[in-house]
């Protein structure tokens, strides 16, 4: 299947939980699509609307805030 | 000199070094590290790239440090594993080579790339390149930071004067640390005052009296009995508290705090016909043994009385041992007495307790298992219970029933938890920072816990935890000064309008409003660097160092 759509997703992940969970997913060898980009923040509370809009503007197909 | 280096680091046009780690085959086995390194060398500002077999190895670190000097690097980016585990090592190595550690950036291409995209070599390689691009872009915007130093008071507050608290106080004092010991009741000693003998045969009162005597004779321990900590403020190294001693309030200060408030045996009102006479608890049995008032010769003990039920789900852990201990003591001075122990599961962990169990069986103490859903029935001087192995109901005549009830958290533990802003679990016991890695620490810096306040503990466990806590806290108190991460918030006083939105956004009460200058200010010791204030600030005056708007946006733009 050529040109299958794989969304590019920016995830803002809290250093203390979601980012650690993403590390754990790796340690556990969970597999997921390679379109995911994780940006580490010290708390999901650091993410302001600007970051989310900017991510879409830059071409992200989806934005996830995890914390 | 150091300041000069930092200044230069910041002002020069960034000269970035990128190190791509193979992690053996962990990364290189699933993506093309060579082409990632090659790609990194084409990014703006990158003047040096290197692929290492293991960047965290001694030779890998040496290579980073050498390149900082040889190529005058002003930024270092390592693409390898997780910053959660390796950032301190790499950043510290940069600092040793003269580069401000806050000019280091880490890219996660193992846990969040090679390990999760196995068998997709091409996609994983592309993603790794992209992640490196984002990391390099962020590194350009990094600024040198200075770690935060604060003074500390070499003094400790211990709350609770039972086995754990006394052991901690004694150990602190022996190291030359001044101790403020606050005990709620009128006397030191805690639960051990009510116990007859320990499992090794020693009289509990002798053991605890020796320790009390030692503590009271130490000139650097101030003991406040009949007292409570009313309020506490400050932070690690600089706590200040009000201790109410009945007739007056005393202001005290300490660098660390130890919570050793213990636990209390549950009184099983309404359970198994409990009446304090023919049906008693283990702690009441201890008292009868101590005073020689036990005159029963046919005794049934019922384990898990009010524990491991829907109301109290936890196992109190020490009651099996207590029951077997007391049964053995009774057998010792009244060999013809008949003792039955009704249990659901026997928790006799470790070598000594397991031996006690076998000794008890050898001495004719009878053990019968019962089912949670069919608890025993106590009436008319008999205990009836369903024996699941035989499939029939049995009855045991007896002149005394002893209920093994769980230890419950001290009743004012929840109040104390609120005062100290530390968590308790669903049962009301204090909750440690990490069950395995930080069992004696609270998540809040400078506050520790030990003994049955955390979970029902044996005398030996309470003592070892008390001593352990002393060494944990002394590790902090013996420092000349406290150095904490510079990843904290700061508020620009020239743009802050004093709206105070950040005060509500801050979960750590680290921000205050300065009435004189009319702006908000961050207490950098209390700040945990979450950045909630930075997200909430309408004028972008509150900023989290290392995660500033321009730094995160640089990462997004490189996506």
């Amino acid at each position: 299947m050529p040109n299958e759509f794989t969304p590019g997703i920016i995830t803002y992940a809290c250093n203390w939980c979601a980012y650690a969970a993403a590390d754990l997913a790796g340690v556990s060898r969970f597999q997921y699509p390679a379109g995911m980009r994780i940006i580490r923040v010290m708390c999901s509370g650091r993410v302001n609307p600007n970051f989310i809009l900017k991510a879409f503007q830059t071409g992200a197909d989806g934005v996830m805030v995890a914390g | 000199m150091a300041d000069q280096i930092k200044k230069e680091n910041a002002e020069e046009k960034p000269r970035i070094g990128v190190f791509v780690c193979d992690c053996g085959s962990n990364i290189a086995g699933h993506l093309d590290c060579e082409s990632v390194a090659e790609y990194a060398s084409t990014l703006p500002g990158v003047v040096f790239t290197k692929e290492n077999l293991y960047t965290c190895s001694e030779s890998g670190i040496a290579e980073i440090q050498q390149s900082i000097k040889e190529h005058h690097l002003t930024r270092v980016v390592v693409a390898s594993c997780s910053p959660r585990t390796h950032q301190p090592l790499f950043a510290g190595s940069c600092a040793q080579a003269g580069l401000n550690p806050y000019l280091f950036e880490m890219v996660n291409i193992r846990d969040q790339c090679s390990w999760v995209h196995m068998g997709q070599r091409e996609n994983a390689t592309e993603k790794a390149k992209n992640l490196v691009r984002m990391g390099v872009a962020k590194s350009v915007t990094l600024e040198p930071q200075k770690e935060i130093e604060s003074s500390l008071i070499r003094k400790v507050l211990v709350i609770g004067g039972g086995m754990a608290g006394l052991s901690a106080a004694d150990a602190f004092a022996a190291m030359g640390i001044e101790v403020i010991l606050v005990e709620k009741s009128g006397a030191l000693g805690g639960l051990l005052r009510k116990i007859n003998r320990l499992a090794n045969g020693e009289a509990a009162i002798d053991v605890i009296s020796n320790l009390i005597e030692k503590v009271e004779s130490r000139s650097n321990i101030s003991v406040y009995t009949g007292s409570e900590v009313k309020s506490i403020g400050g932070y690690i190294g600089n706590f200040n508290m009000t201790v109410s001693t009945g007739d007056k309030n005393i202001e005290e200060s300490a660098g660390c705090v130890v919570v050793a408030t213990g636990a209390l045996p549950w009184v099983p009102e309404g359970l198994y016909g409990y009446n304090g006479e023919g049906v008693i608890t283990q702690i009441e049995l201890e008292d009868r043994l101590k005073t020689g008032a036990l005159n029963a010769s046919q005794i049934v003990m019922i384990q898990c009385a009010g524990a491991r039920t829907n109301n109290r789900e936890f196992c109190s852990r020490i009651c099996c041992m207590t029951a077997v201990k007391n049964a053995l003591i009774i057998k010792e001075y009244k060999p013809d007495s008949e003792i039955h122990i009704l249990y659901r599961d026997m928790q006799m962990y470790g070598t000594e307790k397991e031996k006690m169990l076998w000794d008890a069986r050898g001495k004719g103490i009878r053990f019968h298992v019962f089912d949670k859903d069919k608890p025993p029935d106590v009436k008319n001087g008999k205990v009836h219970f369903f024996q699941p192995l035989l499939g029939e109901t049995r009855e045991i005549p007896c002149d005394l029933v002893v209920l093994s009830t769980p230890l419950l958290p001290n009743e004012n533990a929840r109040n104390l938890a609120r005062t100290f802003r530390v968590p308790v679990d669903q049962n009301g016991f204090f909750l440690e920072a990490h069950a395995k890695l930080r069992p004696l620490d609270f998540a809040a810096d400078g506050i520790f816990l030990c003994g049955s306040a955390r979970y029902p503990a044996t005398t030996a466990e309470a003592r070892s935890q008390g001593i352990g806590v002393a060494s944990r806290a002394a590790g902090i108190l013996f420092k000349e000064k406290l150095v904490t991460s510079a990843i904290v918030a700061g508020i620009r006083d020239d743009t802050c309008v004093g709206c105070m939105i950040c005060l509500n956004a801050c979960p750590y009460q680290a921000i205050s409003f300065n009435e004189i200058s009319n702006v908000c200010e961050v207490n950098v010791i209390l700040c945990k660097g979450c950045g909630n204030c930075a997200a909430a600030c309408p004028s972008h005056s509150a900023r989290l160092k290392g995660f500033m708007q321009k730094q995160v946006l640089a990462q997004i733009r490189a996506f």
Side-chain angles (χ1 to χ4, degrees):
Chain A
M1 267 188 289
N3 298 327
E4 194 188 332
F5 173 62
T6 42
I9 297 168
I10 287 188
T11 296
Y12 296 103
C14 163
N15 178 64
W16 310 103
C17 55
Y19 194 88
D23 282 350
L24 184 60
V27 173
S28 317
R29 306 296 193 277
F30 290 176
Q31 302 298 301
Y32 55 81
M36 177 80 91
R37 301 286 178 272
I38 295 174
I39 294 180
R40 186 172 68 103
V41 286
M42 296 310 281
C43 172
S44 52
R46 169 68 190 99
V47 178
N48 65 17
N50 195 16
F51 291 178
I52 296 168
L53 296 176
K54 206 56 155 186
F56 281 122
Q57 221 173 32
T58 320
D61 298 303
V63 176
M64 185 154 90
V65 179
Chain B
M1 179 64 194
D3 281 340
Q4 200 186 338
I5 292 169
K6 282 170 196 161
K7 210 171 161 198
E8 281 171 8
N9 288 163
E11 284 175 2
E12 280 167 17
K13 190 171 173 290
R15 293 176 57 81
I16 307 167
V18 180
F19 298 82
V20 180
C21 180
D22 289 349
C23 197
S25 62
N26 279 301
I27 298 173
H30 308 285
L31 57 85
D32 186 352
C33 287
E34 201 183 327
S35 89
V36 173
E38 206 173 290
Y39 171 75
S41 68
T42 65
L43 294 168
V46 176
V47 295
F48 181 78
T49 48
K50 184 85 182 51
E51 181 191 349
N52 312 92
L53 185 60
Y54 288 102
T55 310
C56 63
S57 68
E58 210 172 300
S59 60
I61 296 290
E63 232 163 351
I64 295 176
Q65 294 180 326
Q66 204 184 335
S67 333
I68 289 173
K69 288 170 186 156
E70 271 176 22
H71 301 274
H72 309 290
L73 300 181
T74 60
R75 300 287 186 281
V76 168
V77 177
V78 171
S80 59
C81 46
S82 174
R84 285 178 51 87
T85 55
H86 281 67
Q87 175 126 8
L89 171 73
F90 292 129
S93 307
C94 290
Q96 280 173 3
L99 180 73
N100 187 291
Y102 293 90
L103 297 176
F104 166 78
E105 180 64 21
M106 202 159 164
V107 179
N108 190 332
I109 61 167
R110 187 187 74 179
D111 306 46
Q112 298 179 7
C113 190
S114 71
W115 277 352
V116 290
H117 311 307
M118 289 171 150
Q120 305 182 53
R121 200 171 177 84
E122 221 166 280
N123 289 343
T125 307
E126 278 315 301
K127 173 171 170 178
K129 287 179 183 173
N130 192 180
L131 290 172
V132 168
R133 185 167 74 225
M134 292 164 74
V136 167
K138 183 179 176 187
S139 81
V140 173
T141 62
L142 292 177
E143 290 169 1
Q145 308 291 349
K146 207 167 172 225
E147 275 166 352
I148 296 152
E149 294 179 355
S150 59
S151 65
L152 54 91
I153 302 163
R154 196 165 292 165
K155 205 167 164 185
V156 65
L157 167 72
V158 177
I159 308 167
M163 181 44 108
L166 287 169
S167 299
D170 186 47
F172 278 119
M175 288 186 272
I177 293 170
E178 210 179 311
V179 182
I180 310 151
L181 179 58
V182 178
E183 163 60 40
K184 193 175 66 162
S185 74
L188 296 176
L191 212 50
L192 275 184
R193 298 188 85 86
K194 297 184 179 168
I195 305 291
N196 171 40
R197 278 199 259 157
L198 301 180
N200 64 2
E202 280 180 280
I205 194 70
D206 290 349
V207 172
I208 201 70
S209 297
N210 281 341
L211 189 55
I212 293 171
E213 224 168 273
K214 226 167 135 192
V215 163
E216 285 179 335
S217 69
R218 294 221 187 246
S219 58
N220 53 355
I221 303 180
S222 320
V223 180
Y224 297 105
T225 49
S227 306
E228 278 183 86
V229 177
K230 279 283 159 217
S231 65
I232 187 156
Y235 43 85
I236 179 171
N238 293 280
F239 289 105
N240 45 65
M241 63 284 302
T242 308
V243 180
S244 119
T245 62
D247 51 345
K248 61 177 189 292
N249 285 344
I250 299 166
E251 297 299 322
E252 275 285 6
S253 59
C256 286
V257 177
V258 172
V259 175
T261 49
L264 294 171
W266 182 58
V267 182
E269 297 293 352
L271 192 73
Y272 296 125
Y274 169 77
N275 54 17
E277 289 168 16
V279 183
I280 62 173
T281 61
Q282 287 287 353
I283 200 93
E284 287 162 344
L285 175 65
E286 297 268 359
D287 188 60
R288 286 191 191 183
L289 288 168
K290 199 158 61 166
T291 55
L294 182 76
N295 50 19
S297 56
Q298 283 194 306
I299 301 166
V300 174
M301 296 183 180
I302 301 174
Q303 299 305 106
C304 300
R308 300 169 69 214
T309 62
N310 294 340
N311 293 342
R312 267 169 243 96
E313 290 181 344
F314 67 98
C315 161
S316 181
R317 195 166 160 271
I318 62 165
C319 346
C320 286
M321 183 213 69
T322 307
V324 174
K325 176 196 75 174
N326 286 337
L328 280 168
I329 289 172
I330 296 169
K331 267 284 183 193
E332 193 184 308
Y333 88 101
K334 263 192 185 177
D336 57 343
S337 52
E338 200 180 299
I339 306 172
H340 297 265
I341 297 181
L342 271 52
Y343 71 96
R344 282 166 53 193
D345 300 283
M346 288 303 286
Q347 298 280 356
M348 300 294 284
Y349 54 93
T351 48
E352 285 162 24
K353 296 186 194 70
E354 176 71 7
K355 186 177 173 301
M356 272 170 68
L357 182 61
W358 285 103
D359 285 352
R361 289 187 201 273
K363 287 190 173 149
I365 294 161
R366 308 287 298 274
F367 291 83
H368 313 272
V369 70
F370 71 89
D371 196 80
K372 180 193 174 195
D373 301 321
K374 288 182 182 156
D377 195 18
V378 181
K379 62 179 168 215
N380 306 331
K382 281 178 186 160
V383 175
H384 305 258
F385 72 100
F386 180 75
Q387 165 58 271
L389 294 175
L390 298 174
E392 60 186 40
T393 302
R394 292 194 52 189
E395 61 174 48
I396 308 171
C398 56
D399 48 14
L400 182 69
V401 175
V402 183
L403 305 178
S404 295
T405 60
L407 284 182
L408 298 189
N410 220 313
E411 55 216 8
N412 65 345
R414 278 182 197 276
N415 284 339
L416 206 62
R418 261 192 295 275
T419 309
F420 285 81
R421 283 186 243 117
V422 293
V424 290
D425 67 12
Q426 70 270 31
N427 300 307
F429 288 106
F430 287 103
L431 195 61
E432 68 274 29
H434 191 290
K436 291 189 175 69
L437 301 176
R438 294 175 65 196
L440 301 175
D441 308 5
F442 277 111
D445 293 335
I447 310 181
F448 300 87
L449 75 169
C450 58
S452 295
R454 176 178 153 255
Y455 203 78
T458 65
T459 309
E461 287 162 353
R463 176 144 179 84
S464 52
Q465 288 174 22
I467 296 168
V469 137
S471 96
R472 288 293 291 159
I476 295 168
L477 294 171
F478 277 119
K479 285 180 180 162
E480 288 303 317
K481 60 191 177 213
L482 290 176
V483 179
T484 43
S485 165
I487 302 300
V488 291
I491 298 174
R492 280 184 60 169
D493 55 3
D494 56 338
T495 53
C496 174
V497 294
C499 72
M500 291 194 259
I501 285 176
C502 54
L503 263 73
N504 294 326
C506 179
Y508 304 100
Q509 279 95 41
I511 305 179
S512 56
F513 180 69
N514 185 327
E515 304 270 355
I516 299 160
S517 55
N518 284 324
V519 293
C520 296
E521 287 171 348
V522 177
N523 178 329
V524 290
I525 311 288
L526 287 178
C527 177
K528 297 270 178 235
C530 70
N532 283 18
C533 54
C537 180
S539 64
H540 301 299
S541 304
R543 302 181 309 170
L544 176 63
K545 289 173 184 167
F547 295 86
M548 301 216 286
Q549 175 108 340
K550 64 172 179 187
Q551 290 162 340
V552 180
L553 291 183
Q555 244 176 316
I556 302 170
R557 286 198 190 96
F559 165 66

